Every structure is written in C-alpha cells, then in structure tokens.
Amino acid sequence: MIKTFRHKGLEAFFRSGSKAGIQPSHAAKLRVQLTQLEKANNPGDMNAPGWRLHPLSNDHWSIWVNGNWRVTFTFEGKDAILVDYLDYH
C-alpha cells in the first residue's frame, strides 16, 4: 500500500486523477505503475518488463516512466513510502 508521497502532483493524480501536477502524456503509464505499487509488498513486485527497476542509495528504488522521468520510492515494511516523480537530467 502507498502510505506517503513526496510529489504532491503525483499524489493528486493517484487520489483524484488530476493531471495538473504531472506530464499528461505519462498518465496512462503512471496509473498502471501506481496501481501496481499500491498492491506491492516489496520492491521486487515492481520488476515489470520495461520498467527498469533498480536500487538507489538509502534503500530507495527507481522505475522508468519515459525519457528522463522516474518514479522513486522506498518500502517501510510492506508499505511504499516517499513516492516521488522526477525528471533526471
């Protein structure tokens, strides 16, 4: 279950479907990724083909959205926390 977000626009998209704080062209993929993250119990549950799951520092993980855009997160027990959406230049 997703417990906390860092990115307010991503949280609004997850909770209400508002695309105001995200790249609208990413909405379909983000919906799938966030739905999977909501069901995930550990980072390995996010290892879908094409998502390029990889570890970052401090137990954070990253999945690819599109281009330079990534969703990052960590797990606290079986809950995803600090879910972020950012453009790695």
Side-chain angles (χ1 to χ4, degrees), residues 66-87:
N66 192 341
N68 292 331
W69 288 90
R70 306 290 186 271
V71 170
T72 64
F73 53 89
T74 191
F75 270 82
E76 184 175 75
K78 292 186 175 191
D79 298 321
I81 61 170
L82 305 174
V83 180
D84 205 355
Y85 169 67
L86 41 122
D87 182 1

Side-chain angles (χ1 to χ4, degrees), residues 9-88:
L10 188 63
E11 182 175 13
F13 175 69
F14 177 70
R15 302 208 187 282
S16 71
S18 171
K19 297 177 188 172
I22 65 166
Q23 295 290 318
S25 62
H26 297 168
K29 189 167 191 179
L30 284 170
R31 174 65 57 208
V32 172
Q33 290 176 326
L34 292 173
T35 299
Q36 181 63 29
L37 189 57
E38 175 72 2
K39 294 188 266 182
N41 291 314
N42 61 66
D45 291 342
M46 298 302 294
N47 197 16
W51 288 5
R52 304 178 193 167
L53 174 71
H54 64 275
L56 303 172
S57 61
N58 300 327
D59 295 323
H60 277 74
W61 294 82
S62 173
I63 55 174
W64 179 73
V65 178
N66 192 341
N68 292 331
W69 288 90
R70 306 290 186 271
V71 170
T72 64
F73 53 89
T74 191
F75 270 82
E76 184 175 75
K78 292 186 175 191
D79 298 321
I81 61 170
L82 305 174
V83 180
D84 205 355
Y85 169 67
L86 41 122
D87 182 1
Y88 285 162

